[in-house]
Amino acid sequence: MSSSSAQLSDIIDFSSFFRLVGPDNSRGQVGALVTLLQSFGWDRVSVINTDTQYTKDLATAFGNTWTGDIAHIHTVSIRPDGTVEDTSVDQALDGVPVDDPR
């Protein structure tokens, strides 16, 4: 869990935690991304994230904040040495719809 994880905002479970950065939720980084995409007039997106807890939390927060359509969601796997599994990337990209980009 990163220091910007929204989970750390729970004052019952993390009563002595103090952060200097905003949480990764609708009030922080995710909210800024959603606002940016909406300013472009987008109402449909695909979400591709890695299998780290940080990016899983971001993808979940994005899904909870985004009011448009999420056309495709896929998690790309990272090996213990930090490299990305090519088949996982291929699966992620193959699932992105291209016939109706709106």
Side-chain angles (χ1 to χ4, degrees):
M1 182 177 335
S2 74
S3 64
S4 58
S5 172
Q7 292 175 342
L8 293 173
S9 295
D10 185 335
I11 60 172
I12 303 299
D13 290 340
F14 302 99
S15 59
S16 61
F17 180 76
F18 180 79
R19 73 171 89 232
L20 297 176
V21 296
D24 295 326
N25 60 17
S26 61
R27 297 178 300 157
Q29 179 174 303
V30 169
L33 178 59
V34 167
T35 300
L36 176 67
L37 296 175
Q38 290 172 336
S39 75
F40 291 148
W42 294 6
D43 62 357
R44 185 173 188 223
V45 297
S46 292
V47 177
I48 299 175
N49 61 284
T50 59
D51 58 0
T52 64
Q53 191 60 50
Y54 176 68
T55 59
K56 286 179 188 178
D57 289 348
L58 281 175
T60 299
F62 182 85
N64 292 336
T65 305
W66 179 250
T67 57
D69 180 31
I70 297 180
H72 176 67
I73 298 174
H74 187 83
T75 300
V76 172
S77 299
I78 298 179
R79 296 183 189 100
D81 68 358
T83 59
V84 177
E85 293 182 9
D86 293 338
T87 56
S88 183
V89 173
D90 291 341
Q91 289 173 348
L93 297 176
D94 287 343
V96 174
V98 294
D99 57 337
D100 182 21
R102 286 191 228 172

